[in-house]
Amino acid sequence: MANVTAVFRKGKKTCPSKYRPISLTVSLCEILESIIRDKVIDHLQKYKLIKDIQHGFVNNKSCLTNLLVYTEEITCYLDSGFQVDVIYLDSQKAFHKFRHRRLIHKLAAHEICGDVLQWIENWLVGRQQRVLLNEQFSSWRKVISGVPQGSVLGPLLFVIYINDIHESVACRILKFADDTNIYSAVKTSEDIDNLQADLRNLVSWSKEWLMLFNVDKCKVVCMGYNNQQANYAMDGNNLESVSEERDLGVIVSEDLK
């Protein structure tokens, strides 16, 4: 059982969707979560189960390593005279959407089993939460999907859930938790078609695993001299092309300055 407090993100403060729902849980549970998390991370790293493209909530990686890899690869393309198209993807309430049974299936596929798997399943199933605002409480409601934001173990479970998203993508992809970029040098129309095909594959993956993208917030940045400014679409909707986009707190412009 958890009290949920609303933490403002950005935009209009009068709009409820501009707040992040953080679950306040029992401290003793968070200590046990930390123990479970560390053991799971040790297992994942020992067998190299988390792909290198993921920089969120894994040891020795961060926003900084993600941005360094990204800018290094993009500048290498541009220095070689290529144009580069980058697509910034946005997920719909990523931490809240996926079903617990599907997560348990993916944990088992990563050889997380026995008592640890049973503990995680018990920790997820049967949860309840209520909202705390101005010293007033809402009624208790059952939580049927997702992981609690603000928990210790939740982010790692999410990383495991989306660990196979790269399998449907042929172009370059980088992830920091649910922040995902795909990009490619676009020398020919075939390169553009391949990037569009990757978008179709990502949409199919998102529908299969109930992790839909917020298409209105997905953006395209076209970089490089004489870039063809190709149009890309997801699920029948054209993506907006912009001259700059915020990436992990850093504004990246089409001239990469």
Side-chain angles (χ1 to χ4, degrees):
M1 302 173 76
N3 290 329
V4 173
T5 184
V7 177
F8 180 68
R9 294 185 298 173
K10 59 182 179 179
K12 293 183 178 181
K13 290 190 175 183
T14 55
C15 181
S17 64
K18 301 303 181 182
Y19 290 79
R20 189 184 306 277
I22 301 298
S23 297
L24 305 178
T25 55
V26 180
S27 298
L28 185 60
C29 181
E30 292 182 352
I31 294 173
L32 187 51
E33 284 181 63
S34 298
I35 296 171
I36 298 289
R37 177 201 60 192
D38 292 345
K39 292 299 182 182
V40 171
I41 288 178
D42 288 345
H43 166 77
L44 296 173
Q45 290 189 325
K46 179 180 179 181
Y47 296 103
K48 297 181 173 59
L49 298 177
I50 297 296
K51 304 306 177 184
D52 289 338
I53 59 175
Q54 177 61 262
H55 289 251
F57 306 109
V58 293
N59 291 343
N60 302 318
K61 290 188 177 181
S62 63
C63 292
L64 179 60
T65 59
N66 183 294
L67 290 167
L68 286 172
V69 170
Y70 172 74
T71 52
E72 176 67 16
E73 292 184 354
I74 296 295
T75 51
C76 284
Y77 282 137
L78 296 181
D79 288 345
S80 299
F82 299 134
Q83 295 82 44
V84 181
D85 287 351
V86 183
I87 300 173
Y88 293 87
L89 301 173
D90 185 88
S91 299
Q92 292 183 8
K93 299 181 180 179
F95 282 76
H96 306 288
K97 288 284 189 177
F98 56 85
R99 297 290 177 171
H100 295 147
R101 179 51 53 189
R102 292 167 180 254
L103 173 60
I104 297 302
H105 169 77
K106 289 208 173 188
L107 290 172
H110 286 75
E111 298 297 330
I112 298 169
C113 53
D115 290 340
V116 173
L117 183 63
Q118 186 64 60
W119 189 93
I120 293 174
E121 184 172 8
N122 290 343
W123 179 74
L124 288 170
V125 176
R127 298 189 69 90
Q128 295 186 65
Q129 65 184 25
R130 62 181 179 179
V131 176
L132 169 62
L133 183 63
N134 295 332
E135 301 182 354
Q136 299 292 317
F137 291 99
S138 70
S139 58
W140 288 103
R141 297 295 297 271
K142 291 182 179 179
V143 181
I144 62 173
S145 63
V147 293
Q149 283 197 259
S151 63
V152 176
L153 187 58
L156 178 61
L157 297 181
F158 176 79
V159 164
I160 294 172
Y161 191 84
I162 65 170
N163 192 36
D164 63 344
I165 191 175
H166 69 283
E167 294 179 0
S168 61
V169 176
C171 298
R172 193 72 174 96
I173 181 171
L174 275 179
K175 297 184 291 184
F176 185 89
D178 61 320
D179 288 320
T180 305
N181 304 344
I182 65 170
Y183 52 93
S184 173
V186 285
K187 296 170 282 187
T188 65
S189 58
E190 183 179 355
D191 295 327
I192 296 173
D193 292 340
N194 290 338
L195 192 52
Q196 179 61 68
D198 282 343
L199 287 175
R200 287 194 294 269
N201 293 336
L202 285 171
V203 169
S204 297
W205 181 93
S206 70
K207 291 179 177 180
E208 179 182 358
W209 293 103
L210 304 180
M211 286 286 296
L212 300 181
F213 293 104
N214 190 343
V215 177
D216 290 338
K217 293 185 177 180
C218 296
K219 308 294 184 183
V220 181
V221 178
C222 299
M223 301 180 178
Y225 182 69
N226 281 338
N227 191 295
Q228 301 178 54
Q229 302 289 323
N231 294 318
Y232 296 94
M234 293 182 71
D235 210 15
N237 298 296
N238 290 330
L239 301 184
E240 181 184 359
S241 182
V242 296
S243 60
E244 62 183 30
E245 180 67 10
R246 183 179 295 274
D247 185 9
L248 300 178
V250 176
I251 296 177
V252 179
S253 58
E254 60 186 359
D255 58 10
L256 214 60
K257 292 183 179 180

